[in-house]
């Protein structure tokens, strides 16, 4: 990526389906010196927000993409010149988001002069010098960027499986997609997904291909705006049949492809209204939630859990674990009990894939983490959660939550979940109906722990009213796969584990 | 099964062939009374007599020419060069006469030329070379490069049995360094059949001779990092086991061709080119070659070490492939 003396910093590939990212903040400005691996800028994609480090020591010589702009993976964002090198003045950097025509226009200026005096006069050369530094490095970047190189074997496998190699996360040199990467990608089933959708969309729900009726369920397009246009608006309401997958979208009626300029969405603002651009994360959440509701048959069941044993145990263990810098939360207990229970209910931990049911002997547990004071949401994943004891679970939750808030999550941290827990109860809510994190089959909601009058049996077997800490848990499940009895048994087992928590067992 | 060094296995194989077949005779400088430069034929003259173990004048041309003539007359001569390097003197007899005789006249020339080759012990530029690729280029010759005692004995039997001129490259640095179980009785190892010296699926190293052991040590190093490298010992270069090589390439998709001979025009180039032609769509990385640089073999021990691919060199080449 280094062109002789300069080094280009490009938009990194941040996950399987991520094809673009938005520059949220430049941490360095032109002229600042920077060290290799030192954070240079912050970007936001529909999977994660993260920092992009510098790929070389030196001085920031050019910043080519401004804050707020969304560009494709591989786009050159900045140029790092070696320390002491002459730093180009900021002017040549295109300030407007539409730089393309500008350089073209510049050389056009001296052209007439050249027409009069055929031999190339020195002046026009100078005039052309300005756009050159911007344009020149871009081409080698595309060629040298490992991500764009597809090895013969990867090309062949991609062709055989109909996979777009650029959708595969690469682990090779410069992010190149290796044979292993693409084979893993195909094995994971991600290949079945239509390109623009993040995770493997559950295809084929016996949808009659171009039936006109389902059109009613309109869905926001999954937001691939044309790369050049950093359109701040949410993608328009394209009339695409929600559940018509696999089959090519071509027969979809009415939906004209270039609906990029939304008419309705741009309706004038009422007095007092304000327009706010949508973050990449917001767009991701938006598309995902809509898709999930359109995909799964959501049903929610709730159960009340007497948390007295858990409360007592937590009170006892908390100082001990605090010494190990582990914050023992109720969520850790619930996660632990849930993971054990899920192994007994593989369909709750499973997935519908085509006409088949996928089950697995492990639980990759997603934990919904609220960001930005409730204005953002991300679901990092604890892999092989079944291998963790209570302390390990608490530590893992703490780790991913912390990294989510400090934007240190890696793309793989948000992939591959098999089940999700969301915890809106910390604000006191006692019930909810969360939306399933596709392509999973269920999501557990945890709610406020409330002291309530509770009927229990005393030593003599008589009913008495006691004050007990009680928590509601909800299981929202996809009724296409999970039936009510199965979900009920699963919830019951989670409750029983929590109510009969055996200290030694965990 | 007795354990033998590489050189003992050669000696043993040769003795068995001579006991088994009266037509097998030995020619070379000091092979008789002295027992050969490396003592491969020590005691042979006592056992088989001076007419079957012939001390020749100091002339490689005479040795190969004499062997060729004897072969024409129905013998199965085994000629010894004291060092493989000296075979240049016999080039004309070997390349112009022996290699082309069957093609021109239809009379086979079943000779074996034993060639102590390779470096690693400060032999300097005249006593350390691996000239196999020069002869692999000549149609009509067969090239054998055993890496283990077992293969040395079995391939020598096959070479003596073969109706063509066979160049038998014995790596001197393996002579007394490498030991292994060798069957007591006669057996043959077929030509053109590669041996999986070490299995693996992440990359395949294609090599022969002493480099098999270097590759093996490097593969063991990489295995600690979870990168499993196949070490494929070609055993014979002409013919070479193309099918097995291509199978490994299709399975592993990453390839290192390794040889002790110098790089340019080395036999590794032939292998690399064949892979590019026939398994291009299975490659996940450029075919990598690791070989000695294009210089004569240096005498100075540190320089020679820098010249011959070492375990560390193979490890870093494999790491590069692993990370690619």
């Amino acid at each position: 990526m280094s062109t002789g003396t300069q080094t280009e910093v490009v938009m990194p590939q941040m996950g399987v389906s991520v094809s673009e990212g938005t520059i949220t903040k430049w941490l360095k400005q032109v002229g600042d010196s920077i060290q290799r691996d030192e954070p240079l800028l912050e970007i936001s994609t529909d999977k994660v927000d993260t920092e992009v480090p510098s790929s070389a020591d030196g001085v920031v010589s050019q910043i080519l993409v401004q804050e707020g702009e969304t560009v494709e993976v591989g786009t050159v964002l900045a140029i790092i010149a070696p320390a002491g090198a002459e730093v180009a003045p900021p002017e040549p950097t295109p300030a407007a988001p539409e730089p393309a025509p500008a350089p073209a226009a510049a050389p056009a200026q001296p052209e007439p002069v050249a027409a009069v005096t055929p031999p190339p006069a020195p002046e026009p050369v100078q005039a052309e010098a300005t756009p050159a530094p911007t344009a020149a490095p871009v081409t080698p970047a595309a060629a040298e960027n490992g991500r764009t190189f597809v090895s013969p074997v990867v090309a062949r496998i991609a062709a055989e499986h109909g996979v777009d190699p650029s959708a595969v996360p690469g682990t090779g040199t410069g992010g190149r997609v290796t044979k292993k990467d693409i084979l893993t990608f195909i094995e994971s089933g991600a290949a079945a997904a239509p390109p623009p959708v993040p995770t493997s969309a559950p295809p084929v729900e016996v949808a009659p291909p171009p039936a006109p009726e389902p059109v009613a369920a309109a869905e926001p397009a999954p937001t691939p705006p044309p790369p050049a246009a950093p359109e701040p608006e949410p993608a328009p309401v394209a009339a695409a049949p929600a559940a018509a997958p696999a089959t090519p979208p071509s027969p979809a009626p009415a939906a004209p492809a270039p609906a990029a300029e939304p008419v309705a969405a741009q309706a004038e603002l009422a007095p007092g209204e304000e327009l706010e651009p949508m973050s990449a994360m917001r767009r991701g959440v938006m598309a995902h939630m809509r898709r999930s509701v359109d995909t799964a048959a959501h049903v929610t069941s709730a159960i009340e859990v007497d948390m007295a044993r858990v409360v007592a145990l937590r009170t006892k263990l908390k100082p001990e674990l605090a010494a190990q810098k582990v914050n023992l939360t109720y969520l850790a207990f619930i996660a632990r009990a849930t993971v054990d229970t899920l192994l007994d209910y593989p369909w709750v931990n499973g997935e519908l894939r085509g006409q088949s049911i996928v089950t697995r002997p492990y639980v990759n547990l997603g934990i919904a983490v609220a960001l930005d004071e409730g204005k953002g949401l991300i679901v990092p994943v604890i892999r092989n959660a079944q291998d963790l004891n209570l302390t390990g679970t608490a530590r893992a939750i703490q780790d991913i939550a912390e990294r989510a808030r400090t934007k240190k999550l890696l793309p793989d941290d948000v992939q591959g979940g098999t089940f999700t827990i969301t915890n809106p109860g910390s604000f006191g809510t006692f019930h909810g109906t969360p939306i399933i994190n596709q392509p999973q089959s269920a999501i557990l909601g945890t709610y406020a722990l409330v002291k309530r009058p509770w009927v229990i049996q005393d030593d003599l077997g008589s009913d008495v009213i006691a004050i007990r800490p009680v928590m509601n848990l909800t299981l929202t499940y996809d009724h296409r796969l999970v039936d009510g009895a199965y979900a009920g048994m699963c919830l019951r087992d989670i409750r029983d584990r929590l109510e009969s928590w055996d200290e030694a067992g965990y | 099964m007795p354990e033998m060094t590489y050189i003992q296995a050669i000696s043993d194989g040769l003795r068995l062939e001579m006991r088994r077949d009266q037509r097998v005779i030995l020619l070379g400088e000091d092979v008789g009374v002295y027992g050969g430069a490396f003592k491969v034929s020590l005691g042979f003259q006592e056992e088989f007599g001076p007419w079957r173990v012939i001390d020749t004048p100091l002339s490689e041309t005479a040795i190969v020419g004499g062997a060729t003539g004897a072969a024409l007359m129905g013998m199965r001569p085994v000629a010894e060069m004291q060092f493989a390097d000296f075979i240049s003197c016999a080039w004309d007899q070997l390349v112009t006469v022996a290699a082309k005789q069957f093609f021109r006249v239809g009379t086979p020339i079943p000779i074996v030329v034993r060639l102590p080759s390779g470096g690693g012990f400060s032999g300097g530029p005249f006593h350390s070379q691996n000239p196999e690729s020069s002869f692999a280029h000549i149609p009509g010759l067969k090239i054998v490069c055993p890496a283990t005692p077992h293969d040395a004995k079995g391939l020598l039997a096959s070479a003596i049995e073969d109706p063509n001129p066979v160049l038998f490259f014995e790596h001197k640095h393996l002579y007394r360094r490498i030991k292994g179980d060798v069957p007591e009785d006669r057996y043959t190892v077929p030509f053109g059949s590669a041996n999986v010296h070490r299995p693996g699926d992440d990359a395949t190293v294609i090599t022969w001779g002493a480099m098999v052991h270097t590759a093996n040590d490097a593969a063991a190093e990489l295995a600690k990092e979870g990168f499993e490298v196949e070490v494929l010992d070609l055993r014979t270069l002409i013919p070479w086991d193309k099918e097995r090589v291509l199978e490994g390439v299709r399975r592993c998709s990453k390839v290192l061709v390794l040889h002790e001979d110098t790089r340019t025009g080395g036999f590794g180039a032939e292998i690399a080119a064949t892979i590019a032609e026939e398994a291009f769509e299975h490659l996940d990385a450029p075919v990598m070659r690791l070989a000695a640089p294009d210089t004569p073999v240096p005498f100075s021990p540190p320089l020679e070490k820098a010249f011959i691919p070492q375990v560390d060199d193979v490890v870093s080449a494999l790491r590069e492939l692993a990370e690619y």
Side-chain angles (χ1 to χ4, degrees):
Chain A
M1 264 190 262
S2 140
T3 53
T5 54
Q6 297 185 332
T7 303
E8 293 166 352
V9 178
V10 301
M11 176 63 76
Q13 177 83 24
M14 295 306 297
V16 176
S17 60
V18 179
S19 58
E20 59 179 24
T22 305
I23 284 69
T24 46
K25 189 176 182 188
W26 283 100
L27 303 172
K28 298 279 178 183
Q29 301 306 323
V30 171
D32 289 355
S33 60
I34 189 164
Q35 294 192 319
R36 187 188 164 90
D37 296 334
E38 190 182 346
L40 175 60
L41 70 154
E42 289 178 1
I43 61 166
S44 164
T45 70
D46 52 27
K47 279 273 161 42
V48 286
D49 290 353
T50 190
E51 288 172 344
V52 176
S54 171
S55 41
D57 291 334
V59 177
V60 181
S61 78
Q62 290 184 56
I63 285 179
L64 301 169
V65 182
Q66 304 306 311
E67 287 177 10
E69 284 186 47
T70 302
V71 293
E72 277 186 276
V73 168
T75 304
V76 180
L77 304 177
I79 309 275
I80 307 295
E86 204 174 304
V87 172
E91 280 118 82
T93 317
E98 290 173 66
Q109 282 287 52
E111 203 74 77
V113 182
V116 182
T117 39
E123 283 145 277
V125 175
Q126 230 220 317
E128 278 178 63
T130 321
T134 325
V138 175
T139 326
E144 288 176 44
N145 177 356
R147 205 184 71 81
T148 60
F149 171 72
V150 176
S151 76
V153 73
V154 170
R156 185 176 56 79
I157 295 169
E160 281 171 5
H161 290 84
V163 174
D164 175 8
S166 67
V168 179
T171 61
T173 307
R176 184 185 78 87
V177 175
T178 66
K179 179 182 172 186
K180 267 189 188 156
D181 292 337
I182 194 164
L183 289 178
T184 310
F185 183 75
I186 289 165
E187 274 169 28
S188 76
V197 184
T199 33
S200 67
V204 208
E205 203 196 303
V206 201
E213 281 100 348
V215 174
E219 156 183 62
T223 67
E231 190 53 62
E233 248 43 60
V237 179
T247 40
S250 44
E261 296 313 318
V263 185
Q266 289 290 43
E268 310 88 69
L269 293 174
E273 281 180 341
E274 277 181 25
L275 215 52
E276 188 181 341
M278 190 179 274
S279 68
M281 176 180 283
R282 192 75 254 145
R283 282 189 291 168
V285 172
M286 174 180 82
H288 188 90
M289 293 302 175
R290 184 68 256 165
R291 186 165 66 85
S292 183
V293 172
D294 287 340
T295 300
H298 284 72
V299 179
T300 299
S301 299
I303 202 162
E304 293 170 309
V305 183
D306 176 354
M307 295 285 278
R309 289 182 79 98
V310 169
V311 169
L313 195 59
R314 176 171 176 265
T315 310
K316 183 179 155 206
L317 292 178
K318 205 170 163 42
E320 190 182 312
L321 290 185
Q324 300 175 35
K325 300 212 175 349
V326 176
N327 178 22
L328 184 58
T329 58
Y330 292 118
L331 182 58
F333 285 87
I334 294 163
R336 191 75 271 288
T338 302
V339 167
D340 269 1
T341 307
L342 285 176
L343 295 177
D344 298 334
Y345 294 91
W347 283 10
V348 177
N349 186 47
E351 177 185 332
L352 281 178
R353 195 178 294 166
Q355 300 291 342
S356 305
I357 298 165
V358 178
T359 58
R360 50 275 273 195
Y362 56 85
V363 178
N364 289 343
L365 183 66
I367 301 283
V369 178
L371 303 174
D372 302 336
E373 295 174 349
K375 282 184 170 178
L377 172 66
I378 197 160
V379 186
V381 174
I382 300 169
R383 284 175 196 278
N384 290 310
Q386 78 284 354
D387 293 346
L388 300 174
N389 65 6
L390 181 64
T391 310
T393 304
R395 196 189 290 278
I397 293 172
Q398 191 176 327
D399 168 61
I400 55 172
E402 171 66 18
R403 287 195 290 128
R405 292 191 186 106
T406 54
K407 303 186 177 179
K408 296 270 163 51
L409 287 176
L410 302 172
D412 282 349
D413 290 332
V414 295
Q415 315 268 357
T418 63
F419 184 86
T420 299
I421 297 182
T422 182
N423 177 30
S426 49
F427 307 108
T429 59
F430 73 94
H431 184 70
T433 59
I435 291 176
I436 295 166
N437 188 8
Q438 291 299 324
Q440 298 165 17
S441 291
I443 183 168
L444 187 83
T446 72
Y447 300 91
L449 190 65
V450 185
K451 282 185 184 157
R452 287 180 26 197
W454 202 247
V455 178
I456 60 170
Q457 288 186 332
D458 66 13
D459 295 343
L460 303 171
S462 312
D463 286 347
V464 296
I465 291 178
I467 299 167
R468 307 291 272 194
V470 173
M471 181 184 280
N472 276 8
L473 297 180
T474 63
L475 186 70
T476 299
Y477 50 94
D478 185 349
H479 209 328
R480 292 180 307 158
L481 175 58
V482 178
D483 296 334
Y486 194 73
M489 288 187 282
C490 178
L491 266 179
R492 176 201 61 200
D493 287 0
I494 294 172
R495 180 194 64 189
D496 290 353
R497 278 195 162 83
L498 289 167
E499 291 189 346
S500 63
W501 198 286
D502 174 9
E503 185 176 347
Y506 294 87
Chain B
M1 206 185 288
E3 192 180 58
M4 293 186 197
T5 61
Y6 183 89
I7 195 168
Q8 283 167 345
I10 294 169
S11 217
D12 188 51
L14 198 51
R15 193 181 296 109
L16 287 188
E17 291 309 301
M18 292 187 74
R19 283 178 185 164
R20 175 177 172 269
D21 186 345
Q22 295 275 319
R23 297 174 300 167
V24 179
I25 59 168
L26 227 57
L27 315 82
E29 295 154 11
D30 289 334
V31 296
V33 176
Y34 186 70
F38 294 95
K39 306 288 181 190
V40 166
S41 51
L42 190 64
F44 277 41
Q45 207 175 48
E46 284 85 345
E47 180 174 352
F48 301 108
W51 284 105
R52 288 186 69 197
V53 184
I54 304 168
D55 280 324
T56 67
L58 204 161
S59 166
E60 284 75 17
T61 305
I63 296 168
V64 176
T68 304
L72 271 174
M73 299 308 291
M75 305 305 250
R76 298 254 158 182
V78 176
E80 178 183 294
M81 302 286 109
Q82 290 201 327
F83 288 84
D85 311 63
F86 306 161
I87 200 174
S88 52
C89 298
W91 178 273
D92 190 47
Q93 287 302 315
L94 202 53
V95 170
T96 312
V97 181
K100 295 176 174 62
Q101 181 72 14
F102 182 74
F103 180 82
R104 279 196 325 139
V105 187
T107 44
I109 304 292
I111 63 171
V112 175
V113 184
R114 288 186 36 246
L115 297 158
S117 60
F121 44 86
S122 283
F126 301 149
H127 300 84
S128 306
Q129 296 175 82
N130 294 277
E132 66 262 14
S133 72
S134 301
F135 297 95
H137 186 63
I138 306 298
L141 300 178
K142 291 193 175 178
I143 312 290
V144 180
C145 303
T148 64
H150 174 275
D151 288 350
K153 180 173 171 181
L155 286 169
L156 185 60
S158 296
I160 292 171
E161 215 171 64
D162 197 277
N164 297 283
V166 177
L167 304 194
F168 192 84
F169 286 88
E170 318 168 356
H171 201 291
K172 299 190 291 291
H173 200 42
L174 301 180
Y175 270 165
R176 294 178 174 85
R177 189 164 62 99
I178 298 295
K179 282 186 185 166
D181 290 340
V182 177
E184 221 158 329
D185 296 337
R186 179 183 190 270
Y187 60 93
T188 57
V189 169
F191 287 4
S193 163
N195 176 47
V196 179
H197 195 78
R198 180 190 175 97
D201 283 327
D202 292 330
T204 179
V205 180
I206 298 153
T207 189
W208 57 89
M211 285 295 119
V212 170
H213 304 282
T214 307
N216 192 63
D217 292 353
E221 197 62 34
L222 269 289
K224 291 181 199 157
E225 300 166 19
F227 191 72
E228 295 294 345
V229 176
E230 171 183 84
V231 177
L232 196 61
D233 173 7
L234 285 186
R235 304 201 280 198
T236 62
L237 298 191
I238 305 291
W240 64 285
D241 195 348
K242 194 166 87 173
E243 284 318 308
R244 184 56 186 76
V245 166
L246 294 175
E247 187 279 320
V249 173
R250 290 191 197 103
R251 186 161 34 79
C252 304
S253 295
K254 293 183 174 181
V255 193
L256 173 67
V257 184
L258 169 68
H259 56 68
E260 186 181 318
D261 186 14
T262 50
R263 181 180 176 91
T264 301
F267 197 70
E270 174 63 27
I271 295 168
T274 303
I275 292 169
E277 281 175 345
E278 302 194 19
F280 179 74
E281 291 195 356
H282 297 272
L283 289 173
D284 199 26
V287 178
M288 193 181 262
R289 274 187 297 162
L290 183 59
D294 292 329
T295 75
V297 186
F299 168 79
S300 140
L303 283 183
E304 190 191 38
K305 208 173 167 199
F307 173 88
I308 296 174
Q310 304 291 319
V311 175
D312 285 351
D313 302 324
V314 182
V315 165
S316 51
L318 286 172
R319 263 203 199 112
E320 213 173 298
L321 275 183
E323 286 161 10
Y324 184 82

